[in-house]
Amino acid sequence: MRLPRPLVLVAAALTLFGVFATGAAASATDVASTRAYIAADLALVQTARVHLRQAEAAPLGILARVRRECPAAAAGSPQDPESTQMSNEVIGAMVLSAYHLDVPALEQFVREVARLPWSDAGLGRAVRGYAANLRVLAGLAPPSLCADVRAWVGGGYRRLPASTIAFDRRFMPAWVSIGMLPGRLSRYETAQERGALARTVAIEVQITDAEARAVEPWGDIMNELGLEP
């Protein structure tokens, strides 16, 4: 399993080395929106860093629940597109268990950036799309993993439960990491954002490392359920 990372670290790093937009190349609105976005993104990832240890431990709670309530519930199940969707539900349960700690910060970030204006329509769409995805994740209820696995098994693997299908349809398109610095921001960044960008990139590297470590508990949960991806 690979956790997606939409953060463009290379673009941010280039910014830190001095690739800043000049006043002649960017409007005051573009610069102000960029500054506001960078500040909001930094605040979001700082909150996520405070909760990082708890977020990493959250999937272990799911593993403990599976061991207690539905061990080997999917033992002998087929490996097919439906098992992949069940695997996606496991991922969703893990992600939401971690993001639950940051819901107030996610909601605050969305309020601050969703309507920021840029003359660059592509950048505006990227920011609005990211904010919309975070809004979904902040409001999405975690799935009833054991109940859904049992329903799938009880139906002879002929059809996924409607709850799994509905969850996957909402979660998978919205699944993004906490913290994003679109590469197109570099057109409107100024030297004043240098410090905030450096702190943001450093924290997002920590978040990326934590996401990579989530592969192990995902595998443990899948094995405990007897579920093939």
Side-chain angles (χ1 to χ4, degrees):
M1 184 188 71
R2 181 180 62 86
L3 296 179
R5 192 69 191 155
L7 172 66
V8 186
L9 288 172
V10 173
L14 287 173
T15 300
L16 296 177
F17 282 105
V19 184
F20 297 111
T22 65
S27 72
T29 298
D30 289 328
V31 171
S33 292
T34 298
R35 185 169 301 158
Y37 182 89
I38 291 171
D41 192 58
L42 175 58
L44 177 60
V45 298
Q46 285 176 326
T47 298
R49 181 179 60 181
V50 169
H51 297 147
L52 195 56
R53 186 167 296 181
Q54 293 170 275
E56 282 200 77
L60 300 180
I62 297 173
L63 177 60
R65 190 178 311 120
V66 167
R67 285 173 173 164
R68 184 174 61 251
E69 298 178 5
C70 55
S77 60
Q79 184 176 21
D80 57 16
E82 290 192 349
S83 71
T84 298
Q85 287 187 264
M86 290 301 313
S87 171
N88 291 341
E89 184 170 330
V90 172
I91 295 169
M94 292 174 58
V95 171
L96 295 183
S97 71
Y99 283 21
H100 174 76
L101 300 161
D102 300 318
V103 165
L106 292 169
E107 293 174 340
Q108 179 67 23
F109 175 84
V110 170
R111 285 193 297 270
E112 291 181 0
V113 310
R115 295 186 179 182
L116 290 175
W118 280 276
S119 59
D120 183 337
L123 177 56
R125 283 193 299 271
V127 169
R128 288 191 298 274
Y130 181 63
N133 287 334
L134 290 183
R135 185 184 293 112
V136 170
L137 295 175
L140 191 58
S144 300
L145 184 58
C146 284
D148 288 343
V149 170
R150 288 196 190 100
W152 182 50
V153 174
Y157 312 110
R158 290 187 297 272
R159 183 167 53 188
L160 287 169
S163 51
T164 294
I165 295 171
F167 177 82
D168 285 1
R169 282 177 177 169
R170 292 196 67 199
F171 171 74
M172 292 303 293
W175 181 23
V176 291
S177 296
I178 291 180
M180 182 185 77
L181 291 172
R184 295 167 85 129
L185 277 179
S186 63
R187 302 177 184 181
Y188 313 113
E189 293 159 2
T190 71
Q192 295 180 42
E193 284 83 61
R194 187 188 300 267
L197 285 164
R199 293 193 296 274
T200 300
V201 171
I203 295 170
E204 290 184 343
V205 168
Q206 295 177 39
I207 294 173
T208 300
D209 290 344
E211 289 174 340
R213 291 192 292 271
V215 173
E216 183 174 347
W218 171 79
D220 291 341
I221 294 168
M222 295 288 287
N223 291 335
E224 191 65 34
L225 285 167
L227 183 62
E228 296 291 338

